[in-house]
């Protein structure tokens, strides 16, 4: 079994956890004589962050694969999906940056999306990759099982 994207869940949880920490710091740094409307807004924001994190935990998986299956390992459940059920592998363009990458800690990660057959009822999975060789190996494995897979990426 090969690693494709073993940090998907961590990547998806980074923003809501950071916002939750900021909210907790702001709430603890201020005195407790808030107006009731400020407390209600903070509580609603907290509920939104918790719902976001719950959704990430239920819909996001770390991805591994072999010659026949892609394995999706999540916090709550694991799935194995045949490579033939993959319909599209596409590069995700980051509109905020002028190039096709996400910078994390000074390292460049390319973002890709894997779309599955709608019949298996599984959300598209976004993955971050540091090395394009990993994606090339995965695409080769998918093409062996599914000749009709749509690939949208540039080998830069």
């Amino acid at each position: 079994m090969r690693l494709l994207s073993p940090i998907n869940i961590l990547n998806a949880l980074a923003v809501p956890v950071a916002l939750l920490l900021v909210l907790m710091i702001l709430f603890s740094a201020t005195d407790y004589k808030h107006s009731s409307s400020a407390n209600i807004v903070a509580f609603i924001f907290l509920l939104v962050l918790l719902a976001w994190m719950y959704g990430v935990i239920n819909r996001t998986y770390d991805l591994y694969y072999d010659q026949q299956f892609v394995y999706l390992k999540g916090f709550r459940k694991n799935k194995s999906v045949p490579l033939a059920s993959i319909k599209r592998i596409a590069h995700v363009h980051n509109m905020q940056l002028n190039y096709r990458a996400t910078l994390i800690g000074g390292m460049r990660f390319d973002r890709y999306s894997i779309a599955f057959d709608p019949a298996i009822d599984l959300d598209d999975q976004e993955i971050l990759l540091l090395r394009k060789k990993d994606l090339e190996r995965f695409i080769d494995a998918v093409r062996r099982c599914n000749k009709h897979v749509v690939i949208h990426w540039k080998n830069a």
Side-chain angles (χ1 to χ4, degrees):
M1 187 167 21
R2 291 189 174 180
L3 300 172
L4 182 61
S5 185
I7 59 168
N8 264 4
I9 297 172
L10 181 65
N11 176 47
L13 283 174
V15 173
V17 167
L19 289 174
L20 183 63
L21 289 174
V22 167
L23 178 67
M24 290 172 44
I25 290 169
L26 287 175
F27 196 72
S28 66
T30 59
D31 59 356
Y32 291 102
K33 298 179 183 177
H34 294 103
S35 67
S36 61
S37 61
N39 287 334
I40 291 171
V41 168
F43 183 71
I44 290 172
F45 191 63
L46 176 68
L47 287 178
V48 168
L49 287 175
L50 291 175
W52 185 359
M53 292 183 341
Y54 180 76
V56 164
I57 288 171
N58 282 331
R59 289 187 321 253
T60 307
Y61 300 92
D62 293 335
L63 279 76
Y64 305 87
Y65 72 97
D66 61 16
Q67 296 301 321
Q68 295 178 340
F69 291 95
V70 62
Y71 301 97
L72 297 97
K73 295 186 180 188
F75 281 136
R76 297 183 57 155
K77 54 188 166 184
N78 298 330
K79 295 183 179 189
S80 59
V81 178
L83 291 177
S85 296
I86 295 175
K87 295 300 175 193
R88 182 181 37 120
I89 301 170
H91 194 272
V92 177
H93 294 281
N94 192 344
M95 297 300 175
Q96 296 172 346
L97 300 173
N98 289 333
Y99 49 89
R100 307 177 336 253
T102 300
L103 295 174
I104 299 175
M107 294 189 311
R108 179 183 169 180
F109 288 87
D110 287 309
R111 295 174 54 207
Y112 297 91
S113 174
I114 299 174
F116 298 97
D117 186 3
I120 60 173
D121 192 32
L122 187 62
D123 291 340
D124 294 357
Q125 295 293 309
E126 255 190 40
I127 58 173
L128 287 178
L129 293 175
L130 183 59
R131 298 178 309 175
K132 290 196 181 194
K133 284 277 190 203
D134 296 337
L135 182 67
E136 290 171 357
R137 287 187 199 128
F138 178 66
I139 288 173
D140 289 341
V142 171
R143 281 190 174 149
R144 278 186 231 118
C145 294
N146 183 359
K147 303 289 183 199
H148 303 291
V149 66
V150 177
I151 309 292
H152 291 290
W153 76 298
K154 294 181 181 176
N155 193 5

